[in-house]
Amino acid sequence: MEKQTKHSICTCLLIGLIASILTVAGGELPIGWVDYPPVEGDPTGMMGMMIGSGNLSLVQLALGALFGGIFIPLQYFGFEGASRLVAQGGCVKAARIIHWGAAATGFWGGIVHVICVALMFLCRMVDVSQGTLPQPLWDFTLWLVLPISVVFMPVYYAMCIALFAAVVRGKTALPQWAAVFNPLTATLLLNALPMIVPGSKLVNALGMANMGIGSVITFGGLLGLLGKTNEQ
C-alpha cells in the first residue's frame, strides 16, 4: 500500500473516530441515562424504554439531537476509510458494500437518530405511564420511525458483515483477528449486558450508545493497527 493511500485511509478513520467519540459522549449516552421501569407484559422492554424516555430532561434530549444529528453523519469518513482499506486488499465487492453503508450512515444515520429523539420528546408530551401507547405515538412510530429504520439498518448491518468477512479472510493489510474491530462487536456485547448485570442508568446508557461505541472500537482499532503497520 502506497504511503499516500495509507495517509488518506488513516485521515478518514481519524475523522470518524473523533466524530464517533463526540456522538457517544454528547448524542447517545445522555438520552440513555435514565431508568427504564419494568412493565408487565412487555417482554421486549420497549414500553419500559418509552416510559423512561418520558422522564428525560429537555437538556438531555437537546444534546442527543444536536450531537447525534451533527456527528453521526461525519462517521461516514470512518466507514469510507474502512472501505478503501478493504479495496486495497482486492475485495472489491465488500468494499462497495461498505462504501454504500458509509453513504447510508452519512445521509440516513443522523436522520434516524434525530427521529428517535423526537419520539422520546413525544413520550414527554403524552401519558405512557399506563403501559399503553397513545395513538399519536403509534402513528409516529409506524409511519416515520419504522420505515426509515427499515431502509437504514439492513444496509448498515450488511456493511458490518462485509467488513468482518474481508478482515477475517485476510483481504486487508491487518491481521485476521482484527475482525473484532467491528460495530457489531459492541452491539452484541452491550445488548447482552442487561442479561448479566442489573439494570441501571449506566447499563441503559451503554445500550443506547451501542452503535456509537461500535464505531469507536472500529475506527480506533483499525487506525491503531494501521499506525503500527506504517511504522514497520
Side-chain angles (χ1 to χ4, degrees):
M1 187 185 301
E2 296 180 357
K3 184 177 181 180
Q4 185 176 0
T5 302
K6 286 184 179 180
H7 178 74
S8 172
I9 293 173
C10 287
T11 299
C12 285
L13 289 172
L14 180 59
I15 295 173
L17 177 60
I18 294 172
S20 59
I21 290 173
L22 291 172
T23 297
V24 171
E28 293 178 334
L29 291 179
I31 57 175
W33 194 267
V34 67
D35 289 317
Y36 299 150
V39 178
E40 186 177 352
D42 179 33
T44 64
M46 184 60 67
M47 181 58 65
M49 182 179 295
M50 286 191 167
I51 294 174
S53 297
N55 296 322
L56 288 168
S57 70
L58 291 176
V59 172
Q60 287 173 290
L61 292 170
L63 287 174
L66 180 64
F67 277 77
I70 293 175
F71 293 110
I72 289 177
L74 292 179
Q75 291 181 35
Y76 158 83
F77 292 99
F79 290 119
E80 179 60 24
S83 172
R84 297 179 188 179
L85 175 63
V86 171
Q88 286 297 309
C91 202
V92 178
K93 185 176 181 180
R96 187 177 297 115
I97 294 173
I98 299 170
H99 170 75
W100 283 111
T105 300
F107 181 76
W108 283 109
I111 295 175
V112 171
H113 180 86
V114 171
I115 290 298
C116 288
V117 174
L119 177 60
M120 295 176 181
F121 183 82
L122 283 178
C123 289
R124 283 177 50 95
M125 301 174 63
V126 299
D127 183 16
V128 294
S129 61
Q130 302 303 315
T132 58
L133 287 181
Q135 192 61 40
L137 280 184
W138 271 117
D139 293 341
F140 192 87
T141 302
L142 294 176
W143 297 100
L144 193 57
V145 177
L146 187 59
I148 292 178
S149 298
V150 166
V151 171
F152 173 68
M153 295 309 297
V155 181
Y156 176 83
Y157 285 128
M159 170 182 66
C160 296
I161 294 171
L163 176 59
F164 177 86
V167 178
V168 84
R169 290 172 57 201
K171 296 295 185 178
T172 69
L174 305 176
Q176 290 174 296
W177 62 263
V180 299
F181 296 129
N182 189 286
L184 292 183
T185 301
T187 299
L188 293 174
L189 292 177
L190 294 177
N191 284 355
L193 196 59
M195 306 176 191
I196 304 172
V197 298
S200 66
K201 291 182 178 180
L202 176 60
V203 171
N204 295 337
L206 291 175
M208 185 66 68
N210 61 3
M211 292 176 70
I213 294 174
S215 294
V216 173
I217 291 173
T218 302
F219 305 147
L222 298 183
L223 184 61
L225 287 178
L226 273 181
K228 291 182 179 180
T229 302
N230 289 339
E231 291 174 3
Q232 295 172 0

